[in-house]
Each structure stands twice: as structure tokens, then as C-alpha cells.
Amino acid sequence: MTIGQSTGSGRFGTGVVPVAVPTAVMASVGLWGVDRGGMWGDESVTFLVARRTVPQIWRLLHDVDAVHGLYYLLMHAVLTVHPGEVVLRLPSVCAATATAGLVAALGVRLAGPRVGLWAGLLYAITPMTGHYAQEGRSYALVAAGVAGATLLLLRAVDAATARAWWPYGTVVALTCLLHELAVLALCAHAVTLAALRVPRRAWSGWGGAAGVAVLLLLPLVWVSRGQAGQVAWLATPGWDEAGRVLRHFSPGRAGVVFWAALALLAVGLLERRPAAVALPLLLLPPGMLLTVSQVRPLFHERYVFYALAGAPLLVAAGAGRVAGRLERALCEGRRARTGGRRARALLGVAGVVTLLAAFVHQLPDHRRDRSAAHRPDNLAAVSAFAVRQVRPGDPVLFLPSVGRLAALAYPKGFRQARDIALREPAPRSGTLWGLEATPGELRRRLAAVDRVWVVAEPYALKPRWSPADPVERTKLAVLEAEFTVREQHVREGVVLRLHVRKPPRGKGEPPGAATTARRPASRPESP
């Protein structure tokens, strides 16, 4: 029994147009503004790790970031061609382009060419898709892998041969190795098979492919469990987080576009085959991760970004159902055949025009996303500011040590400065941002200087921040006891402070003045 094939017919349905158009649109959206300049923190980690040698990358993965190991090795090959910000993002652009085509192909297979075209276009114009299409991280590639695996799942069920499951299993395994939380897509695929009521032979083929993928993933899970401290910053998600995911998965985050998409999605649930594929993919990975995160916080929307593909499929299926009703109403009469062709053409054009209007409505979101200032931090701007402020030979202290990313990604601003806490550089030490001096050695180094520039994350300057690392505690203690703030600047989410040594009490400063000087300067508005 064939359960995946579309009932659509005609040259349009068998051609490449429903897939090619969304692919071209997604490529255009992805390339628009990809040269925005300025890597943010996570992108800089990709850039720095991928430029290390393969043995250095392998050493790093034993202690940190094993979950991104395959992606770093891939990007090592890419950046060998040309190490630059645009090249860093091009794999994500290509992956998002492929995903739009795969979503369209799924729509064609499940509900016909018109639904496929609309689903692919909806995916391409969603702001969240454009965001991850231009980020030098693995999430767009994972989304492409899950969409490809979903299409291969349907083809394997239709083929009804053991050999047909090999491509599915291979793509699933590679996708899970790119990011282990992609394994949740297997649960969605299992629900899809149950909803489609596939025969026992299909279950056997899927079980074998999924089992091999999970076995290959187990070593990565074992290693990454020991590196769980990397996600210790994640908080327990609440209903607000679920609502945020709902808005971000929509082609419009608010207003008429959001509510229209939500209404069409509800109508799409009435279409059995699209709903059987899209609904589990849309709900299960985010829902399962949100549930697990109530006990052990692991949730971030980027970890389940691949689930977004289910939303445009359901919205397009709902639009297709509404269009079908309108088509039948327009085709009543003696010239049903001629009227049917005209009605289909009219409704197809109307759908594309509606999608264009939705894209225009969301244009401000797309434009903001293409600004470097819209990302959490812009390390290039921090380095450029340091060029103007830091004098040759000035000591620089990074608080916490992750702040060293600005100097590593954009060394120009800190080339003549002295990293006063650094003991061993990052590549040689097998760490992300280098090994720092012991608390005792750091105290001796700071005792020898009268001024020091502090590059700090904003949270590190809050009174309630209490780091577990004794080196970070030493930085805070020495700055509080022995230095006072002379200047403070905020650049792109990073604070730069010039600290100068307090004069000895009784020599030019009354006792109360030292206490006043220890108060942190008020934070100015970021430009």
C-alpha cells in the first residue's frame, strides 16, 4: 500500500517548480545580508575551533563541546578554503536552502504540488528560518538532516524493501551526530508510522535503521554527559518559553499573520496524511525537551529548531483544504473543466501573493536580524573600540575568561595589550579560551600594575554573581580591594572598564573616598 504519494497530477505536479521556487527564495533570503560583519560569541567559537588542526580539535572534544565535534570537523574543511565570516555562514545558508526544498517536496508528496509550493515558501519566509540560515552553527544543518530523513522515511515505507531503509538510517545517524538532540525526531517518526498504520515490515525496517543510529550515537552521549556543565546556564522553562516557540515557529510572530497561520494550521489537522507527518514533528521534539527540562534544564529553541518544518506543512495543508473548497465552488456549472483550470491558477496565484504580503509584513523582523547589533554580542565592535582605548602594553583582564573570545576572534584590538591572567593559549591547552594563572600567581601579577582594562560580561559585574571558579573569584576580590573604576564603556553587550589602583589611605584620599570609588559606575546606554 502506498501511503506517501501525493494525489496531485498534471505536469505541474510532476515538475520541479513546486520545489525549485521555494529553494530559490530561501537562497535569496539566506544570502541577503549574510555579510553583516561581526561574529557573536557562539559563531566565534565555531570560527576559532574550526581553524585549529584536527589533532587540536580532537583534543578539545575530550573535555568540551563534543556535541559539536562533527560540525567543527566539517567547518575545518570549509574554512581551510577561505577563513572568513561569510564563508563561516555559507554552510548554514546552503542547508536552509536545501531544507526549504525538502519541505516543499514533502508537501508535494503528501498533499499535491500546490501545498508543496506553499509549504516551501512558508518555510523560506519565516523569520526564525532566516535567523539560523545566517548563523555559523550547526542548527540549520540539523534541520536539513531531519527534513531529509522525514522524506526518506516516506519513500522507504512506499518502497517496502530492506535496502530502502539504508539511506534513511544513514541520514538520521549523521544528523544526530551533528547534534544529539536530533534523536527526538525518531520519536516523531515513530508516531508518524503509527498514524499512517504502516505494515509490520515497515516497522521492522524503521526499527533496524533507528537502532543502528542510536547505537552510533551512544558514545557521543556518554562523552557529552560528562560535559553537562556547558548547559548549566539554562533555566527551567515555563509556559512563556512554550509561547515563544509558538510565535517563532510562525511566519508571523504577532498580528494578523500569526493568527491567520494558526487558524490554517488548525484546519490542516483535518488533512490526515500531512497531519500524520507534520504534527508529531512539530510537537514531540519541543514538547519532550520542555518536559525533561522541568527536571534537568536542557531546553533552548535552537536545539529543536528542526521541528519548525512541521508548521509550514500544516499551514499549507490547511490553506490547500480551504482552496479546494473554493475551487469546487468556483467550478460549478457546465464549463467545469475550463473553470477548474482557471480556478486552480487563480487560487495558486492568490496563495503566492498572500505569502508575499506576509513576507512584506515581517520585513522589519528580517531587517533587524541582519544587523550585527541584533545578535547577543558583536565581538568585532568590542575589538574596534579596544583599538582606540587600550594603549600598547596595557594589561587586560577578561571577566570571566569566556570574554577572551573578543581578543581571539578579533585580535587587532588587543594585539599590543598584555593578557595578564593567561597562562597557556587556547589551542595549545586544548581549551576554548585558554588556561589562566592560579589565584596566587594572578594576585602577584595584578600587584605589579597600577591600571588594568577589564573586559566583562554584564552578568559578571552584578553583586549577586558568585563564580565557582577560584580564579574568577580572585579577579573580583582583587579588583574590589585594590582598584577603582576610572572609565566604563558598553559596547554591543560587553562592558569595558578601566581600573586604576587606589591611592594608599591617607595619601591624597580620605577614608570615605575609597568606599565611594568602589561603587560600580552607572551603566551608560549602549550606542
Side-chain angles (χ1 to χ4, degrees), residues 126-127 246-247 249-255 257-259 261 361-362 365:
T126 299
L246 178 64
R247 292 192 301 273
F249 277 21
S250 168
R253 299 178 185 178
V257 176
F258 173 78
W259 291 110
H361 180 73
Q362 297 304 315
D365 284 342

Side-chain angles (χ1 to χ4, degrees), residues 52 56 59-60 63 422 424-435:
R52 299 183 187 184
Q56 287 175 335
R59 181 185 175 189
L60 172 75
D63 296 315
L422 186 64
E424 189 174 2
R428 196 164 67 223
S429 64
T431 61
L432 284 176
W433 30 80
L435 286 178

